[in-house]
Structures are given as structure tokens and as C-alpha cells.
Amino acid sequence: MKKRQQWMLTSMLALSVIASGCGGGNNGGNTPADGGNATTPENSNGGGAASAQTITLKFWGGVPEEAGPLDMVKAWNDANPNVQVEYVRYVNDDSGNLKLDTALVAGESIDLYTNYAKFMLEKRVQAGGALNLSELEGYDIDAKMGEQAKGWQFDGSYYGLPTVSSKNFIWLNKDALDAAGLPVPPLDWTQSDLAEYAKKLKEGRPYGYVQPTSMFTFNMDGELQNEFVKDGKSNLDTPVTRASLETWHKMMHEDKSMPTYGEQVATKLPVDASFLKGEAAMFGAGNWIFRNANNLTDYPREFKIAFATVPRPDGARADFKGEGGLSDVVAINPKSAYKEEAWEFLKWYADEGVSYLSKGGRIPASGQIDAAATQAKLVEGHEELYDLESLANVLFGGQESYINTVPVQLNDLRTEELENYFLNSSDLDKTMENIVKRHNALIARGG
């Protein structure tokens, strides 16, 4: 948590240099001054006519090259010999994002880059590190990406193009379900249902269920749907949010059907590997796990995988929604010497190129890309290892999701208090009391 706050402060200081004009001129883009092989039309063939020489766009992203970007780049480059794309991988974590921000400040050759969290893009927008796409023409973002795209606007403008539909759901060992006589859960199952499944599925393996620590609030937040404040006061302590937290605590300490919070953090438990190795029968995660699930070299398995929705807390509202929305938002560097070429590539990437990343779990957001084709690419070559019916129902069934906009400070304080509860350092009443008290103090400060 402190590490994340330290990264944010460091990143903000670095990005402020962009706003003050550090780097100067056009050397922040992909220009000959960078030592690259780019040539502008004005500098070739005496200016005037369009150049036949090649320019190279540098595109930074967090997806491993072998998970689709290499295929995507090849498809574009083969069709566009005069405008080539080079993909640069950065790891989407604190250090990786700091590396990207530092490169932007230093004026490295970056024409486009992918953002994976709104607050990160927001800092880059504030520092002048992302082009306002309303300056460009030829693409209706709302029409192509749908209403949820507006969640990525700043002051009514887009500074990046959302390209991926993110979904969270439950991965299930279908063979384990069959052996226990359990059906694939219905779409409206509850956390109590999950707990019962986990107890039965724990037989013969270490865990019935595992999930990243970041998912412990997904269920309660699906109840709140960003209504963290009500009538000017904290709205975090409700019967439903309490029920959600109690279920996780019971699964850890009474049922022992999932790892305790302390065990998971201390051992840095690789929850995805635990599931894919058969050590856990159920796993909470998202579509990005297809990258590992399809990697039978590093994660060999013979069991079939089925899918279920994120369960609603007991007593949840009828319109409970799972966290999701659009992500992988690609921005254009305002210092790029090739903004028009970058825009042409980005439009192609959103409507076609991103589909090459489906084999690594990316689900294209553009309505122009056929959902059935995406589903086929997600499991291509491994169809026999997936329950295709539940895959279609959960990932492409049209369930509504929402974009979680929990403020960073609120998320941090809540996580601190929940850690104490899950570690048995505090009971639930004291935990909720502390959360509400600290949240109300944050509200009073305007946070």
C-alpha cells in the first residue's frame, strides 16, 4: 500500500516535468533526432509529395509479445509497408508504469501507449502526456464501444481509446464439479452458494476456492455500485456488505476451504497456478487468465474448465452487478511526430488488431468485432478443455457490469482495516466502525 502511494508520488513528480515542457521540441516523438529510421514527408523527396520511405510507430503495452501483440504487429506491418509498428512491452505494475512515465518525460520515442487504470491515465492527461482525441476525426468512440466508454472521459473528452472489455468471473474445475455431483452454478448464485461449493470441493485438495486479495471487495462493491457516500456520510457499513465480509472470514477460518489471508500474503500464493495445477477447484479472476490456461507447457492440465459469474452477497439488491467495463485504453503521445499515422493505426487496432490478442484473454470492446469469433479465439486449439456453454453464458451472455470508481485513499484505508479483520486482529464490528470513522474523516476533508 505504501509502495503504491510512493509510486504515485514519484510518478506525479515525474509527470509534472511533462507539463513544464521538459524535453522541448519534437524530440519526444519518433523523429530522426532520436536516432531512429523515421523520415517525415517534408524531409523526403524535396517535400510536397507523400514519401515512400518508412516511418516506425513505437507502441507501448503491457501484454506479453507472445500473447498476441507479435501477431497483431505482423498483420499491420505486412499491410502497411510505409508505416511500421514496433511493440514495446512494459510490465503493468508500479515499477513498469513508472518506467513508462519516465520514458515520456525523457522524450523517448513513444507514439502510442496503453493505460490499464483510469487514475494512471488521469495523471498523464493532467501532465499533458495524452492527446485529446477530439482533435482527430473518423471514429465514433461511443457508437463503436458503447455507453461504458464514457467512463474513460475527462471533462467530456477522450484522451484514450478503450479497446478491451474486461470481465471478472469464477473459473471452475468442471471435472471436480462432476465428481462432487455439483452442477455449473446458475448465473444468480450467491456467496453462500460459493461457500457450500468450496467446502465440498475441498475434499482431496488443499483449497476449494482461491482468489487474488484484490477481489475480497468485489462482491460488496457490486452491491454499492460506487455509492460509497450516502447523505454525506459513509455508506460502507450495510447488512449486505457485512454479510459479504463474514462469508470470506468463515471460509478462511471455519470452513478452511480457502487460504487464510495471512497465509496467502506471506507465501505470495500464486492463485492462478494453484487452480491450473488442480490444487484449488475454483478460482476468482478475469479473462486475462486465458493466457496461462492455454499455456499447457507451463501449466499442463487435463481437466475441463467451466465458468460462473461473480456471486452476489446474500441479500444483495436485485440489480447487483459485477465489476467490469472497458480497459486497455490506448493514448497517443502529443509529442509524437506522427500523430495522424498513430491515429490511423489506433482505429485499425480497436476494430481489428486487438482481436489478435484474444488468444491471451483480451476481449475486444468494439461492436464491429464478432463475439462468436472472439470466443473461438479465446480457446482456439484447446476447445476440448473448456465447457463452451458456460463460457458463452458468462462471458458473452450480456450481463450488466459497472466500472468501479472507488477513490484510491478510500480503497487503501478500507484494505488496511479488512486486513486486520481477516488476520483476526479485529472483529467485524470494530472493523466496520474503523472503516466508517476513517471514511467520514476523508469525506470531511473533501476526499
Side-chain angles (χ1 to χ4, degrees):
M1 190 177 315
K2 291 182 179 178
K3 178 180 177 184
R4 181 180 184 185
Q5 293 171 335
Q6 181 181 14
W7 172 83
M8 287 182 64
L9 291 172
T10 306
S11 180
M12 288 171 65
L13 289 172
L15 283 167
S16 67
V17 182
I18 297 177
S20 65
C22 179
N26 283 327
N27 288 342
N30 186 8
T31 70
D34 299 320
N37 62 348
T39 304
T40 62
E42 292 76 11
N43 290 336
S44 64
N45 299 329
S51 171
Q53 294 182 329
T54 300
I55 67 169
T56 301
L57 301 173
K58 300 289 184 68
F59 176 29
W60 282 47
V63 178
E65 292 89 338
E66 66 276 9
L70 287 183
D71 296 334
M72 176 273 297
V73 167
K74 184 178 186 305
W76 169 270
N77 287 347
D78 287 349
N80 298 274
N82 294 334
V83 181
Q84 297 285 280
V85 169
E86 177 184 336
Y87 183 78
V88 179
R89 166 88 192 286
Y90 79 94
V91 179
N92 179 32
D93 58 12
D94 286 354
S95 61
N97 278 282
L98 183 58
K99 178 181 178 181
L100 170 59
D101 292 332
T102 303
L104 288 167
V105 169
E108 290 190 26
S109 298
I110 301 176
D111 298 285
L112 309 99
Y113 59 91
T114 308
N115 301 269
Y116 299 95
K118 188 174 182 179
F119 80 91
M120 293 178 185
L121 176 57
E122 183 175 16
K123 300 302 180 185
R124 292 159 186 160
V125 169
Q126 291 172 346
L131 184 69
N132 187 340
L133 299 185
S134 64
E135 299 174 9
L136 308 174
E137 298 179 347
Y139 196 91
D140 189 335
I141 296 177
D142 293 336
K144 291 288 186 72
M145 304 301 173
E147 188 67 23
Q148 285 193 327
K150 286 186 170 64
W152 285 93
Q153 287 184 338
F154 298 96
D155 296 325
S157 295
Y158 289 105
Y159 290 83
L161 179 53
T163 61
V164 165
S165 176
S166 293
K167 297 179 181 294
N168 295 286
F169 42 87
I170 309 300
W171 296 67
L172 307 163
N173 183 324
K174 181 67 163 53
D175 294 8
L177 289 182
D178 292 343
L182 295 170
V184 173
L187 297 176
D188 61 348
W189 70 326
T190 67
Q191 274 189 265
S192 288
D193 295 330
L194 173 72
E196 288 301 314
Y197 268 58
K199 279 197 297 186
K200 294 177 180 178
L201 292 170
K202 184 183 181 299
E203 296 299 322
R205 56 181 57 86
Y207 312 113
Y209 178 72
V210 294
Q211 66 180 6
T213 56
S214 60
M215 284 191 70
F216 283 110
T217 57
F218 275 30
N219 312 77
M220 61 184 290
D221 282 354
E223 166 72 10
L224 297 172
Q225 294 178 32
N226 297 322
E227 193 179 12
F228 304 111
V229 179
K230 188 173 183 179
D231 298 326
K233 297 293 184 180
S234 175
N235 189 39
L236 295 180
D237 186 3
T238 73
V240 174
T241 59
R242 281 176 171 255
S244 177
L245 298 175
E246 281 183 311
T247 300
W248 294 134
H249 191 277
K250 182 173 182 290
M251 289 175 67
M252 292 179 199
H253 298 287
E254 295 182 32
D255 300 343
K256 302 188 185 303
S257 58
M258 68 184 299
T260 64
Y261 190 90
E263 174 193 355
Q264 185 164 338
V265 172
T267 62
K268 298 180 179 179
L269 183 69
V271 287
D272 55 343
S274 294
F275 172 73
L276 294 173
K277 291 179 179 178
E279 297 169 355
M282 299 186 295
F283 171 40
N287 41 288
W288 61 91
I289 297 298
F290 278 102
R291 186 169 73 214
N292 292 339
N294 290 334
N295 180 0
L296 300 183
T297 300
D298 296 328
Y299 302 97
R301 63 180 173 88
E302 296 182 354
F303 65 86
K304 182 176 288 190
I305 292 175
F307 302 89
T309 56
V310 170
R312 60 182 58 226
D314 292 87
R317 57 201 285 179
D319 63 343
F320 171 86
K321 297 177 183 178
E323 181 174 332
L326 305 185
S327 65
D328 291 35
V329 180
V330 182
I332 296 175
N333 184 358
K335 293 184 178 181
S336 169
Y338 304 113
K339 290 187 278 291
E340 290 185 6
E341 291 86 351
W343 179 231
E344 289 304 312
F345 166 75
L346 180 51
K347 291 187 291 184
W348 172 86
Y349 178 76
D351 282 346
E352 182 177 345
V354 70
S355 64
Y356 289 92
L357 279 63
S358 291
K359 71 177 185 179
R362 258 50 191 181
I363 299 175
S366 173
Q368 188 165 313
I369 300 177
D370 181 61
T374 298
Q375 179 178 333
K377 288 181 179 180
L378 284 173
V379 299
E380 188 173 10
H382 309 290
E383 292 84 354
E384 73 283 358
L385 292 176
Y386 291 96
D387 178 65
L388 300 181
E389 181 179 359
S390 62
L391 171 64
N393 290 338
V394 173
L395 274 70
F396 301 97
Q399 291 85 9
E400 285 192 73
S401 61
Y402 79 105
I403 298 174
N404 194 333
T405 60
V406 58
V408 174
Q409 288 179 290
L410 172 57
N411 191 59
D412 286 348
L413 75 83
R414 181 173 64 172
T415 299
E416 288 177 3
E417 298 300 336
L418 292 183
E419 284 178 350
N420 290 330
Y421 175 54
F422 292 140
L423 291 171
N424 276 335
S425 299
S426 175
D427 62 23
L428 183 58
D429 287 337
K430 185 63 176 178
T431 296
M432 299 309 291
E433 178 185 336
N434 288 344
I435 289 175
V436 169
K437 180 179 179 180
R438 295 179 64 183
H439 187 202
N440 282 333
L442 182 63
I443 294 169
R445 295 196 301 269

